[in-house]
Amino acid sequence: MLYYSRVSPSIFGKLISLNEGLLVWYRVFFSSIILLLVLKLFKTKTSVTSKQKFDIAKIGLFITIHWVFFYASVKYANVSIGVVCYCLTSFFTSVFSPIINLAEVQSN
């Protein structure tokens, strides 16, 4: 099941005729609308500081860039290349996490 959840965006990304920027824009737009509806439905109160909003915006920017490059790789290469790039996310996270968080790498 996990495999299909990773592959299906690739296949749909290849079949959709929109460019990757618009595709990600619509994806973010509809996701934010659905998220707002769910928050209103469950009457969830959130109190977020300005610094937290800025941090959330930075994370959102990185995720948006990731999705643009992912859909571009699917459109300009093929689905298998896109899935390989998508699955390398955990590798790059482990490499760049100490750099971004300014943490020392621990060796065993």
Side-chain angles (χ1 to χ4, degrees):
M1 188 67 162
L2 181 64
Y3 175 75
Y4 290 115
S5 67
R6 290 184 185 261
V7 174
S8 63
S10 313
I11 295 169
F12 292 131
K14 187 77 170 174
L15 295 176
I16 296 174
S17 62
L18 291 174
N19 69 6
E20 52 278 351
L22 279 176
L23 188 61
V24 172
W25 169 252
Y26 285 122
R27 182 182 175 106
V28 169
F29 177 72
F30 289 123
S31 298
S32 62
I33 296 295
I34 291 170
L35 180 62
L36 286 173
L37 289 174
V38 168
L39 289 175
K40 294 291 182 187
L41 179 70
F42 291 111
K43 298 180 175 105
T44 304
K45 301 288 182 187
T46 58
S47 59
V48 181
T49 65
S50 310
K51 183 182 178 336
Q52 290 173 330
K53 286 180 186 178
F54 184 68
D55 290 341
I56 292 169
K58 286 190 300 187
I59 293 168
L61 180 67
F62 283 126
I63 292 172
T64 301
I65 291 169
H66 170 266
W67 277 107
V68 168
F69 286 144
F70 171 67
Y71 282 119
S73 70
V74 168
K75 285 193 177 286
Y76 297 117
N78 56 27
V79 175
S80 61
I81 298 296
V83 171
V84 167
C85 292
Y86 188 73
C87 291
L88 283 173
T89 304
S90 58
F91 170 74
F92 286 118
T93 300
S94 65
V95 169
F96 290 124
S97 178
I99 297 169
I100 293 171
N101 294 327
L102 301 174
E104 293 184 22
V105 178
Q106 298 177 356
S107 61
N108 292 332

